[in-house]
Amino acid sequence: QAEADCRQREAAWQGEIPPEEVVSQQYQEAKARLDGLNRGRGEKSQQKKSSAQAVKRLEALEEEFSGLQKQYCQAARLYKLLSGSNPRRVPMDKYVLSIMLEEILACANRFLTRFSRDRYTLWRSQERAAHNAYGGLDLVVLDGMTGHERSVDTLSGGEQFLASLSLALGLSETVQNQSGCVELEALFIDEGFGSLDQETLDTAMKALAMLHQGGRTIGIISHVSELRNRIPCRIEVSRLPDGSAKAEVVSE
């Protein structure tokens, strides 16, 4: 049977049988290609594993990013509101200062109404800021003579001086009220009296005299000769011929 099979196979064979060296070389080349493919398969398998790990990290990062993006949107919206991008166009810091300004104005108006003979009262503007400007600390004056509000810029020079003096006095009182152990015992006023008419000057001097009687030291720096007769104790500074200056304490 074996011989019959061998004869059958020999009969079925077409062509010459290649030499053993050629078959061996073909085998080695095929084996080398197979080894290369196996190495490539290993590399691809490692790349696939690395890619799967990268996908997992990417999914975790995307989830973290989504949470951070939500927090950022909330923080950005809060920042815009606090920085002034709100219906009133008032930043947070100015809003806090506006509350303190209300207290200062309450004290300042006690002096201003006295200085202006009950005509003027300072208010904090409640109008929304125009265009892209921020508001919150703008002041307007209520004119008791007309009953209407108007800008503080419309006050005369003397009236602006009285308003500034009232604000300074209101600020000092507010600081003392909020700082229990702090006392502002001295107040120095530099110029401004020259812009006052006689009646307004009398009113301002009477108000300052009341502050002095309350225990405060009031210092006035001015070139107005009218004040010499009103201030019994003063320091007079005069220029000498050589260009130097002389200070002399005068007490009457």
Side-chain angles (χ1 to χ4, degrees):
Q1 182 64 39
E3 289 178 355
D5 291 342
C6 182
R7 285 193 300 269
Q8 184 179 359
R9 295 190 178 205
E10 288 179 352
W13 177 262
Q14 299 294 331
E16 296 182 357
I17 297 176
E20 182 179 353
E21 295 80 4
V22 175
V23 174
S24 177
Q25 183 178 359
Q26 292 176 349
Y27 168 78
Q28 294 297 331
E29 291 175 353
K31 186 175 183 299
R33 288 196 300 270
L34 178 62
D35 292 340
L37 292 174
N38 286 333
R39 287 194 300 271
R41 184 181 65 176
E43 293 174 356
K44 297 298 182 181
S45 177
Q46 185 63 33
Q47 292 176 0
K48 179 181 178 182
K49 185 178 179 180
S50 300
S51 298
Q53 294 175 349
V55 169
K56 290 183 178 180
R57 290 197 300 269
L58 180 60
E59 290 174 349
L61 290 174
E62 287 180 346
E63 184 177 357
E64 182 181 359
F65 174 76
S66 178
L68 292 175
Q69 190 175 36
K70 183 178 180 180
Q71 294 179 14
Y72 170 79
C73 292
Q74 293 174 345
R77 180 174 179 274
L78 182 60
Y79 168 76
K80 289 182 179 180
L81 290 174
L82 296 181
S83 62
S85 297
N86 51 62
R88 298 296 302 174
R89 302 291 299 171
V90 179
M92 184 62 181
D93 55 344
K94 288 190 175 183
Y95 173 74
V96 175
L97 291 175
S98 68
I99 297 176
M100 300 182 66
L101 181 59
E102 293 284 359
E103 298 182 23
I104 295 173
L105 291 177
C107 296
N109 282 327
R110 294 204 303 268
F111 296 97
L112 183 58
T113 52
R114 187 185 311 165
F115 292 157
S116 63
R117 296 179 291 279
D118 296 324
R119 179 177 178 181
Y120 294 129
T121 304
L122 291 174
W123 285 1
R124 186 174 67 86
S125 176
Q126 301 296 326
E127 295 294 331
R128 184 182 183 277
H131 305 295
N132 293 325
Y134 291 143
L137 300 178
D138 298 325
L139 296 180
V140 295
V141 60
L142 175 63
D143 191 337
M145 183 174 294
T146 63
H148 297 290
E149 295 180 5
R150 56 191 176 95
S151 172
V152 292
D153 295 333
T154 61
L155 295 174
S156 65
E159 291 170 342
Q160 288 189 6
F161 169 74
L162 293 179
S164 299
L165 177 59
S166 301
L167 286 171
L169 296 173
L171 176 61
S172 65
E173 282 200 7
T174 303
V175 170
Q176 290 186 108
N177 294 337
Q178 295 186 356
S179 305
C181 60
V182 176
E183 293 187 7
L184 302 179
E185 299 178 351
L187 176 67
F188 290 88
I189 305 171
D190 187 4
E191 284 301 340
F193 291 93
S195 60
L196 304 180
D197 56 64
Q198 186 62 44
E199 187 177 0
T200 305
L201 179 61
D202 292 338
T203 303
M205 292 304 297
K206 289 178 181 179
L208 294 177
M210 291 178 61
L211 292 174
H212 178 65
Q213 293 173 3
R216 285 191 181 181
T217 299
I218 307 297
I220 298 175
I221 304 171
S222 179
H223 65 281
V224 180
S225 58
E226 175 75 20
L227 297 177
R228 294 182 181 178
N229 300 327
R230 298 174 177 268
I231 303 175
C233 183
R234 59 188 182 275
I235 300 176
E236 293 187 356
V237 180
S238 57
R239 186 179 298 277
L240 299 178
D242 61 357
S244 61
K246 178 183 69 173
E248 181 181 3
V249 178
V250 178
S251 181
E252 298 177 355

